Amino acid sequence: MSPGPRRVGAILAVVLLLPTVGLAQGYRLRLDAGVQSIRFRGYQLDSVPISDVDTLSDGSLESSDGFAVDCGPVVPYCSFFRPGAERSSNPLVAAADLTLWGLGIRGLRVRVNGRFATDLSDDAEWPGTEPALQLLEGFVEYAAAPTWSVRGGRQIQTGRLGYYGYDGGRLVLRAPKAGLEATAYVGLGLARGALVPITSPAANPLGEYRPAESQLVAGATASWISPIVELNGEYQREVDRSSDYFTSERIALSGTLRPVARVS
């Protein structure tokens, strides 16, 4: 398990041991699991002498038994893919989403969201089953008043700039009467497309393009919402910690106009 889940587990243990002050405790747990049986035909690389290749009227090449082939400029053999043996796979995915509140401090809550995936068959390994155990979210949030809240742990930032996971902290300030909200966050970014550290073996296909360590990500969002107009702005930068250079810097602006009811 990565350092992120261990930190979240330690924080959760401390929170659960805090003395209560008479607040009602509660939790919401959602469990979901599913398994599939999938059968598909694989493929295998084969070759044929260039003398056995036919040239069609459109200039394409195929083998005598009808497979499209790829012939090099010098090599006397042409390569192609032919159907392989039938393969089967049985992916199993289970997810758990837990939220705890009423832990002795008013406004404190804990959220843990994780998934487990594996392939029950020995014939094929289904994509997305590594790592088998994945922590999607795991954070502690404190919101003592409607005007602000603070959160720490593994979390997800979504918006016009996309979907981004990081291990770090987030501060939200609100002015409900004015319709204003601002957010600032900073932490260590996770791999794109999977909520795992960039150093995880699951990111190995990136090869030489994979950073040596997790990048520092920081950003801010601001919004103003009124009955007629809604404005949103986002800013995010990523910094390579080994060189202190920016790897990305992005900004997004969006707006919505609602001049009359049911029209925007």
Side-chain angles (χ1 to χ4, degrees):
M1 186 175 291
S2 63
R6 287 200 296 267
R7 288 198 298 267
V8 173
I11 294 173
L12 177 59
V14 171
V15 170
L16 293 176
L17 293 176
L18 289 174
T20 61
V21 293
L23 298 178
Q25 293 186 2
Y27 71 93
R28 182 175 64 248
L29 174 62
R30 177 177 178 178
L31 300 174
D32 183 81
V35 62
Q36 302 179 63
S37 179
I38 303 168
R39 304 182 73 86
F40 59 96
R41 186 170 295 280
Y43 59 86
Q44 61 184 20
L45 182 64
D46 204 345
S47 63
V48 62
I50 196 170
S51 57
D52 293 341
V53 172
D54 299 324
T55 302
L56 304 184
S57 58
D58 60 357
S60 59
L61 305 175
E62 70 173 26
S63 63
S64 57
D65 47 0
F67 292 103
V69 299
D70 180 32
C71 301
V74 179
V75 179
Y77 289 90
C78 300
S79 60
F80 67 96
F81 291 99
R82 68 166 62 250
E86 187 178 80
R87 309 183 70 180
S88 63
S89 185
N90 301 106
L92 166 68
V93 179
D97 190 339
L98 172 66
T99 302
L100 301 169
W101 64 89
L103 302 173
I105 300 178
R106 189 178 301 276
L108 184 68
R109 77 178 180 111
V110 176
R111 181 158 191 255
V112 179
N113 183 10
R115 67 185 286 269
F116 172 78
T118 188
D119 193 337
L120 300 179
S121 65
D122 297 329
D123 191 24
E125 185 172 333
W126 195 249
T129 56
E130 290 293 337
L133 184 62
Q134 188 173 353
L135 178 66
L136 305 181
E137 284 187 299
F139 59 80
V140 177
E141 184 177 54
Y142 179 63
T147 55
W148 67 276
S149 63
V150 62
R151 178 188 296 180
R154 175 161 296 184
Q155 47 198 305
I156 299 171
Q157 183 70 27
T158 59
R160 296 286 297 179
L161 295 178
Y163 178 97
Y164 198 92
Y166 64 97
D167 292 330
R170 185 175 80 171
L171 172 66
V172 180
L173 301 176
R174 305 178 186 88
K177 293 183 179 180
L180 296 172
E181 180 174 300
T183 301
Y185 59 93
V186 63
L188 298 179
L190 303 177
R192 297 297 179 104
L195 295 179
V196 297
I198 195 64
T199 54
S200 169
N204 277 343
L206 293 177
E208 62 182 291
Y209 300 102
R210 185 176 66 167
E213 56 184 351
S214 297
Q215 301 180 91
L216 182 67
V217 58
T221 67
S223 64
W224 174 58
I225 301 176
S226 72
I228 299 177
V229 178
E230 179 178 341
L231 299 176
N232 296 278
E234 299 179 44
Y235 172 79
Q236 185 186 87
R237 67 168 55 173
E238 294 177 83
V239 180
D240 183 84
R241 292 191 291 155
S242 60
S243 63
D244 289 334
Y245 288 162
F246 286 3
T247 58
S248 73
E249 187 175 28
R250 302 182 295 162
I251 188 171
L253 301 172
S254 62
T256 302
L257 179 64
R258 292 180 288 268
V260 295
R262 294 186 292 277
V263 176
S264 62

